[in-house]
């Protein structure tokens, strides 16, 4: 089976945890212990988020005054290198030495007229108090938005249109390589009037990009791995119920949090509608159960309606 | 012809120029205009240095006090993403849309007992006055060494032993992809006692790594592209002469600057001896002339002795 697994930022960094190299590596190691279990007999592509990391690099750049801070596309490229490295190394340590690995830098085309550029919505970097958030907004011109009872920087998150490196990814899969790509949703790029490609200040949603990736790779399964075991209705209320299986039309008739479960549901439904294949939203901690068909929220066209877990 | 071209840090950033994203991109663009000329009819692998970039990221990390600075292996991975991105994008803008590109994260095994760990010698980051250098040495425990009339941070530069991603690079070349890899000499890694791979604080010489890469790819030609048009004897003196062609034994009987021309000569001679093929050290500005056989210093086993340019 060809599988695309998208690892959420929360799967790589627990909320509120300092973004040290060591913390990241420990979380990557835990994720890789799960991923290693589904590799035998399957082709695996690993995509991942970069929200906390790209935000940190922006802060580090801003803290060093001798060189002006790098734009988000360049920082996104840096995070693809950094996170890809940690995943490749940790996963490599769990698999037979002969297993080939490749981490592929990924550029993604977006539309410069995407309405997202007028409405920054993607949270990146650490959480701040209101006072800190106000100061950063004034000093750096950043857009800040509430995140629980605190605040985070938000940036535009346009729709992914095209993954430039799709052929190399496919070729490497055909050779039996584990491929890590589309990190942070891919580096956002646009064509200018002269048909030259250049980067743009944005962060693409990694789940939407993973859905496009899975579709273009003719993937049999898209896994959106996060830190909860399923999509819930009435999340956080006494009536909450975990969804075991849903048709995309019925799932999207419900409403989910814009910044977190919303894009995951959108991505899963997009993939299923485009391909007729199954997408699963579930916990990285039970990725074996997801592949075996017994865990997570399965989105498929097989029948209408929603089934809940008992 | 299969060609590995190694771009020097000086080819990507002119000495003393501030390391802004825009300056880097402009220099990458100039380099890519040259590289684009040798792609038709050839297979091309591009390797590159990262000395100034990895030094800058270390400074940015040190300037942001909330999270402890990342180690050099992680910063090296970041630079592979960043520089690879710029090369891939700029070169892509000069070639037909159909040309496939892949930037491959590259881990390289080094020996933990390499004597280089006792003798840091590889300059990274910006140049400093003596006062600044003394302060940084005291504050951060960095090793600092003279560089012309100023000072730079120096880190260990162990010998590259194995390139882990060599098979994916080969597979992509066979598919006609332009491949960017082994950035910054590759990310330095070592096996621990439990046969787990992990990063180590070092920067591998990118020319030595490129020679190993070219050898393992059965490359027909290794180009070590820098900002001078040839290897010179009596460099900087009235008697200086440019070498047109040399046997490695005769070339290595001469002496060259340890931090700059020395490793290039070593890398060219290593490749030629191991493979019987030609290595050329020359100017990025005349890479077409290098491929055509009329520019640069050609190192080959074809005959003994040294030929000088008229």
């Amino acid at each position: 089976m060809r599988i695309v697994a998208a690892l959420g930022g929360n799967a790589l960094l627990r909320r509120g945890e300092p973004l040290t190299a060591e913390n990241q590596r420990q979380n990557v190691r835990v994720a890789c212990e799960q991923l290693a279990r589904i590799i035998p007999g399957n082709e695996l592509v690993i995509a991942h988020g970069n929200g906390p990391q790209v935000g940190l690099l922006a802060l580090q750049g801003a803290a060093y005054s001798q060189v002006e801070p790098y734009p988000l596309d360049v920082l996104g490229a840096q995070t693809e290198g950094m996170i890809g490295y940690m995943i490749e190394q940790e996963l490599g340590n769990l698999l037979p030495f002969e297993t080939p690995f490749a981490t592929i830098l990924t550029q993604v085309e977006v539309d410069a007229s995407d309405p997202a550029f007028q409405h920054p919505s993607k949270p990146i970097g650490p959480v701040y108090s209101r006072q800190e958030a106000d100061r950063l907004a004034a000093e750096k011109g950043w857009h800040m938005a509430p995140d629980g009872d605190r605040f985070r920087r938000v940036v535009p998150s346009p729709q992914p249109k095209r993954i430039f490196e799709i052929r190399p990814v496919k070729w490497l899969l055909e050779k039996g390589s584990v491929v890590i790509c589309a990190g942070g949703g891919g580096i956002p790029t646009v064509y200018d009037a002269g048909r030259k490609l250049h980067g743009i200040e944005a962060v693409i949603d990694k789940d939407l990009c993973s859905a496009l990736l899975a579709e273009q790779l003719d993937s049999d399964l898209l896994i959106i791995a996060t830190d909860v075991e399923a999509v819930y209705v009435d999340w956080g209320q006494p009536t909450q119920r975990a969804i075991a299986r849903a048709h995309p039309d019925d799932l999207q008739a419900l409403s989910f949090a814009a910044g977190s479960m919303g894009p995951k549901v959108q991505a899963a439904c997009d993939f299923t509608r485009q391909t007729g294949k199954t997408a699963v939203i579930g916990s990285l901690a039970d990725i074996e159960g997801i592949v075996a068909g017994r865990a997570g929220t399965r989105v498929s066209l097989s029948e209408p309606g929603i089934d809940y877990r008992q």
Side-chain angles (χ1 to χ4, degrees), chain A residues 179-237:
Chain A
V179 180
I180 300 151
C181 66
I187 304 165
T189 61
V190 295
Y191 279 109
D192 64 21
R195 289 298 290 169
K196 297 294 179 196
L197 193 67
H198 59 83
I200 190 161
E201 292 256 38
V203 174
I204 299 167
D205 182 86
K206 74 105 185 39
D207 295 311
L208 295 181
C209 187
S210 299
L212 180 64
L213 178 71
E215 181 195 325
Q216 299 203 335
L217 291 175
D218 300 314
S219 181
D220 301 294
L221 177 65
L222 169 63
I223 300 174
I224 298 179
T226 181
D227 54 356
V228 292
E229 67 269 28
V231 181
Y232 283 80
V233 290
D234 300 341
W235 172 247
Q237 296 167 48

Side-chain angles (χ1 to χ4, degrees), chain A residues 12-133:
Chain A
L12 297 181
L13 188 81
R14 282 185 292 270
R15 241 186 117 68
E17 207 174 43
L19 193 54
T20 61
E22 195 44 39
N23 282 343
Q24 282 190 79
R25 188 175 280 281
Q26 300 245 356
N27 289 321
V28 166
R29 192 172 296 148
V30 170
C32 288
E33 282 164 5
Q34 296 299 322
L35 292 169
R37 296 181 190 189
I38 63 167
I39 287 176
N42 294 309
E43 291 179 351
L44 182 62
V45 179
I46 303 166
H48 60 82
N50 75 342
Q53 292 82 2
V54 78
L56 173 72
L57 296 188
L59 288 166
Q60 290 180 334
Y64 180 71
S65 56
Q66 316 252 10
V67 169
E68 63 184 291
Y70 287 7
L72 281 174
D73 60 316
V74 173
L75 300 182
Q78 290 181 14
T79 67
E80 286 195 348
M82 172 173 73
I83 303 171
Y85 164 56
M86 290 185 182
I87 294 173
E88 184 174 323
Q89 190 174 74
E90 294 295 337
L91 194 54
N93 279 336
L94 297 167
L95 292 171
F97 178 77
E98 298 71 32
T99 314
F101 282 88
T103 300
I104 304 275
L105 184 99
T106 312
Q107 299 184 87
V108 171
E109 188 183 357
V110 302
D111 190 335
S113 62
D114 192 304
F117 287 105
Q118 308 309 319
H119 305 283
S121 65
K122 166 85 187 161
I124 64 169
V127 293
Y128 299 102
S129 68
R130 175 181 283 278
Q131 289 82 347
E132 289 171 307

